[in-house]
């Protein structure tokens, strides 16, 4: 069964219709890259999965539980439990500037889950090693490069042991030379079969790492398929036109 199932999702900001009847499924261990022009609704769609945006209609089911069903949201307690299954990595890191790297990782398991300190400390150490930042544990975010901040943000999301990781343009705020170090961490997670949905402009990364690519334009999914299918034999003119521009 799909780990995320989205049906007929609709979202408007006033008169502007941002999501138009969006439907898709994500299976366990999928790495789904969402591509498309700026303003096509990609980030709004992603944010709606973790209740950072409330939709006007449609359903979102995570595993067996509905976050929202036919436009009606579950109880706040249920929403908290469902969104806890997902970790989110943002474009601009969103680290707490007054906390060290280690404290940024450990605060959510302490406050939200009340886990024992020794368990949290062991996991933060493992994850900092995984993202190559063991030597930065006691450093404040202001002393880090953009790529290091984003790797901390990924480790922080993993601290909550999510079933699914969502990435909203994880490299678009980075200088080109720092992009590779972040993509390398995501590639490693893909090789470990982490279920992920990545909104990205990095076509090479999408082609290399994604098991499926979904092209979004003007608030709707136009086409989806394997990287091979989309990059070599896109069926829709809108997809072909976008890829032609993006791959120049």
């Amino acid at each position: 069964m799909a780990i995320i199932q989205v049906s007929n999702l609709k979202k408007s900001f006033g008169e502007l219709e941002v999501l138009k009847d969006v439907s898709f499924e994500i299976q366990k261990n999928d790495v789904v890259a969402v591509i498309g022009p700026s303003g096509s609704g990609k980030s709004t769609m992603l944010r709606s999965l973790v209740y950072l945006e409330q939709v006007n209609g449609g359903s979102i089911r995570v595993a067996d539980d509905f976050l929202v069903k036919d436009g009606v949201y579950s109880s706040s307690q249920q929403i908290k439990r469902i969104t806890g299954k997902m970790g989110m990595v943002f474009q601009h890191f969103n680290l707490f500037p007054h906390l060290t790297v280690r404290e940024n990782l450990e605060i959510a398991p302490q406050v939200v889950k009340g886990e024992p300190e020794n368990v949290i400390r062991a996991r933060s150490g493992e994850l900092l090693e995984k993202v190559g930042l063991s030597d930065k544990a006691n450093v404040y975010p202001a002393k880090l490069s953009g790529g290091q901040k984003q790797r901390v943000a990924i480790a922080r999301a993993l601290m909550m042991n999510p079933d699914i990781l969502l990435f909203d343009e994880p490299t678009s705020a980075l200088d080109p030379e720092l992009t590779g170090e972040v993509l390398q961490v995501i590639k490693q997670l893909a090789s470990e079969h982490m279920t992920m949905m990545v909104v990205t402009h990095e076509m090479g990364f999408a082609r290399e790492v994604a098991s499926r690519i979904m092209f979004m334009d003007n608030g709707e999914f136009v086409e989806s398929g394997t990287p091979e299918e989309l990059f070599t034999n896109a069926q829709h003119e809108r997809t072909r036109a976008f890829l032609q521009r993006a791959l120049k």
Side-chain angles (χ1 to χ4, degrees):
M1 196 186 78
I3 195 165
I4 296 180
Q5 189 170 35
V6 172
S7 309
N8 311 116
L9 216 59
K10 298 177 177 68
K11 171 69 179 177
S12 298
F13 294 108
E15 295 294 308
L16 179 64
E17 199 177 12
V18 181
L19 300 178
K20 304 172 183 176
D21 211 27
V22 167
S23 298
F24 63 89
E25 290 186 354
I26 295 179
Q27 307 297 327
K28 187 173 173 58
N29 305 138
D30 269 355
V31 179
V32 177
V34 182
I35 64 172
S38 297
S40 58
K42 304 185 300 296
S43 292
T44 300
M45 177 277 299
L46 202 69
R47 290 169 64 85
S48 71
L49 299 180
V50 287
Y51 197 58
L52 292 174
E53 297 286 359
Q54 291 190 45
V55 297
N56 305 120
S59 303
I60 299 170
R61 191 174 73 184
V62 181
D64 293 324
D65 300 310
F66 280 99
L67 177 71
V68 55
K69 186 175 183 181
D70 299 326
V72 179
Y73 278 90
S74 297
S75 67
S76 57
Q77 191 175 359
Q78 179 90 326
I79 288 169
K80 186 177 178 181
R81 189 176 64 78
I82 293 168
T83 55
K85 297 177 182 180
M86 295 176 277
M88 182 92 171
V89 179
F90 299 91
Q91 182 176 342
H92 293 291
F93 329 126
N94 291 7
L95 300 178
F96 294 112
H98 63 292
L99 300 180
T100 65
V101 164
R102 189 192 297 280
E103 288 166 344
N104 264 281
L105 265 62
E106 295 180 352
I107 187 169
Q110 287 168 352
V111 173
V112 178
K113 290 188 170 181
E115 291 184 82
E117 190 175 330
N118 63 323
V119 172
I120 294 172
R121 180 55 51 93
R123 190 155 76 249
S124 68
E126 288 168 12
L127 288 171
L128 286 175
E129 187 174 346
K130 179 192 273 285
V131 300
L133 291 171
S134 296
D135 59 331
K136 304 293 184 185
N138 298 312
V139 170
Y140 288 91
K143 299 289 187 184
L144 301 176
S145 71
Q148 290 169 334
K149 288 176 186 175
Q150 194 59 294
R151 283 186 280 155
V152 172
I154 294 170
R156 180 179 61 179
L158 290 169
M159 280 294 292
M160 299 297 280
N161 291 319
D163 296 326
I164 307 143
L165 266 187
L166 308 174
F167 294 85
D168 188 10
E169 298 280 11
T171 61
S172 64
L174 302 179
D175 295 332
E177 65 267 24
L178 299 176
T179 294
E181 64 189 59
V182 174
L183 294 182
Q184 194 56 47
V185 172
I186 301 174
K187 286 178 190 176
Q188 183 185 344
L189 292 170
S191 73
E192 296 167 2
H193 308 294
M194 183 80 200
T195 307
M196 294 186 283
M197 191 172 201
V198 187
V199 170
T200 184
H201 283 303
E202 296 287 339
M203 295 300 117
F205 165 77
R207 189 170 198 162
E208 181 185 348
V209 179
S211 53
R212 184 157 53 101
I213 297 178
M214 295 164 47
F215 171 63
M216 193 171 195
D217 189 23
N218 197 25
E220 59 189 1
F221 280 117
V222 177
E223 187 170 359
S224 74
T226 65
E228 181 70 15
E229 288 167 344
L230 248 75
F231 281 101
T232 63
N233 192 30
Q235 299 299 299
H236 288 262
E237 177 55 39
R238 276 197 282 174
T239 314
R240 290 194 294 270
F242 171 78
L243 289 172
Q244 208 168 13
R245 291 192 304 272
L247 294 171
K248 277 183 179 175

